[in-house]
Structure formats: C-alpha cells, structure tokens
Amino acid sequence: AQKITQTQPGMFVQEKEAVTLDCTYDTSDQSYGLFWYKQPSSGEMIFLIYQGSYDEQNATEGRYSLNFQKARKSANLVISASQLGDSAMYFCAMRENSGYSTLTFGKGTMLLVSP
Amino acid sequence: DAGITQSPRYKITETGRQVTLMCHQTWSHSYMFWYRQDLGHGLRLIYYSAAADITDKGEVPDGYVVSRSKTENFPLTLESATRSQTSVYFCASSPDRSSYNEQFFGPGTRLTVL
C-alpha cells in the first residue's frame, strides 16, 4: 500500500486565487512528520512547510498553510493568492520515526498558475 | 560553498560503464540519502547512511553501491550502468533521524545511460 497518496496529477489555478493540493498518508507510527516540497522546472527540491504529528495547530509559512486532519490522515497544502512563480511540481512526504527514518514521497501534483 | 552539492550535474554514459555520482555536505549532518526521481514514481530511496561507515539499503538499491568514509561525502556508484538507471539522482542530508527534521536536498544529477 502506498504510504503517501497524491490523487491530483495536475491542477490549474488562476493567479491570485487559492488552491488546495491533496495529500493522504498511511502510518502506524504515533510520531511522524509531514512535509511539502516544491520542485520548479529548474529541478531543485525546495522545502515549503512541515507539520508534526503532535502539533495541534495547522502549520503556516507565508502564503502556504497545511490543513492537517489527523483522524482522516490527510495533510493538504493550501496556497493562498497564487502567483505565476508557484507553477511547479509539489510533493508531499512523510518521515516516520520507525524504519529507515527517511522521507517517503507521493508521486506529486503539477500545479499550473495562469494569468 | 556551504550546503549540499552534487557533481556532476549532468552525465551521459554508456551501458556497462561504471559511473560515480558525488555528494558533499558542509553541515556535518549525520544522515545522508540518495534518491532517484522518475516520472510517475516521485522520489524513491536508493541508499541511506546514518553516519560514516554505516550505510543501508533503501527501496531500490539493486545496481548501486555506496560508501561513506567521511561524514561529509556520500558517493553513489553504478557499477555497470543500465538504461533503466537513466534518472535524476538527488542526494539529501539531515542532522539526525528525527521525524521533525526536514531533509536538505542537493541540486540533483541528471544521468542518461545510452
């Protein structure tokens, strides 16, 4: 079974609008971290936002916020006021305390922001 | 330069040749990782290392060899390259194994095996 599922291969949004990128996860660990990375066309992996499993409040970083619903095992990324520079591939990832303690990635969502 | 670097950034090789991809980090992070990125698969872990001289296999280790004689370096070797190893390879590092710590990624190496 996939540990990280991103069901939206591609998303379109108009500039200045908000967009939500979906992510669901599967783990039996009590302690884990959820991460979102952005990969623009230049190829580098850019860390955006982090949510800990014990964090009671949703994480926010500027225009990025993470809608964390622990019971549903979802960690959706919300980008407010989209900009043209937000066009990129977005990856949701999880790091568990057990096993390799590495990052398990979803397959990504390609976001295109139109003027 | 501070951070995590990879070399070469681009490499074209032929089937059967040995190729080594280099990764260097300046933070003295204990953990280092190698991932490959393929369309439709996201990033998949090849090998990781918890410290110098400690390495272990990830999800897709076949055809790859790693070593870590120094904390700052984590080379990845394809002993006999195959076309299926054409991919983008990312090295990453992390200060420890805590789930609260992000991993810092290098810029990637685009490898083509002809």
Side-chain angles (χ1 to χ4, degrees):
Chain A
Q2 287 187 25
K3 288 205 168 187
I4 297 287
T5 303
Q6 294 180 254
T7 57
Q8 306 153 314
M11 289 284 286
F12 293 90
V13 66
Q14 276 203 310
E15 205 175 3
K16 300 179 185 177
E17 291 186 348
V19 63
T20 297
L21 306 184
D22 294 341
C23 174
T24 58
Y25 61 91
D26 183 28
T27 181
S28 56
D29 278 15
Q30 296 301 308
S31 178
Y32 52 90
L34 296 158
F35 302 82
W36 278 91
Y37 284 84
K38 173 184 178 181
Q39 187 178 42
S41 58
S42 52
E44 70 268 31
M45 295 291 287
I46 302 168
F47 165 72
L48 294 178
I49 196 167
Y50 158 82
Q51 179 84 43
S53 58
Y54 293 119
D55 293 341
E56 294 186 351
Q57 293 199 341
N58 288 339
T60 60
E61 287 288 347
R63 294 186 299 110
Y64 304 108
S65 61
L66 203 152
N67 184 359
F68 181 46
Q69 299 187 43
K70 194 171 181 177
R72 294 186 178 184
K73 293 189 174 178
S74 73
N76 299 338
L77 177 69
V78 181
I79 305 175
S80 63
S82 298
Q83 301 173 356
L84 295 178
D86 292 334
S87 293
M89 181 71 87
Y90 289 81
F91 291 98
C92 178
M94 176 174 63
R95 192 172 188 185
E96 299 164 284
N97 271 337
S98 61
Y100 304 139
S101 186
T102 182
L103 282 172
T104 303
F105 285 86
K107 295 184 178 181
T109 295
M110 175 64 77
L111 176 67
L112 291 177
V113 181
S114 60
Chain B
D1 290 342
I4 183 165
T5 57
Q6 294 182 236
S7 62
R9 294 294 312 280
Y10 302 91
K11 176 75 177 178
I12 299 174
T13 190
E14 295 179 335
T15 301
R17 291 191 180 265
Q18 183 179 79
V19 177
T20 296
L21 309 183
M22 303 301 293
C23 178
H24 176 79
Q25 52 104 356
T26 60
W27 295 302
S28 298
H29 283 171
S30 296
Y31 276 72
M32 296 188 74
F33 309 85
W34 275 107
Y35 296 89
R36 61 177 289 173
Q37 183 179 21
D38 304 291
L39 201 62
H41 289 281
L43 280 78
R44 293 180 292 175
L45 181 69
I46 304 171
Y47 268 95
Y48 75 105
S49 169
D53 297 322
I54 301 175
T55 63
D56 208 348
K57 296 177 180 179
E59 181 184 354
V60 289
D62 293 344
Y64 303 95
V65 174
V66 293
S67 62
R68 195 163 175 212
S69 57
K70 293 184 178 181
T71 299
E72 60 266 29
N73 296 324
F74 191 38
L76 175 74
T77 298
L78 289 66
E79 292 190 302
S80 178
T82 65
R83 289 181 181 162
S84 65
Q85 292 177 309
T86 293
S87 187
V88 179
Y89 291 85
F90 286 98
C91 179
S93 72
S94 180
D96 55 37
R97 71 185 308 277
S98 168
S99 63
Y100 303 120
N101 282 321
E102 67 179 279
Q103 292 182 11
F104 297 85
F105 282 81
T109 294
R110 185 175 294 275
L111 175 68
T112 301
V113 183
L114 301 176

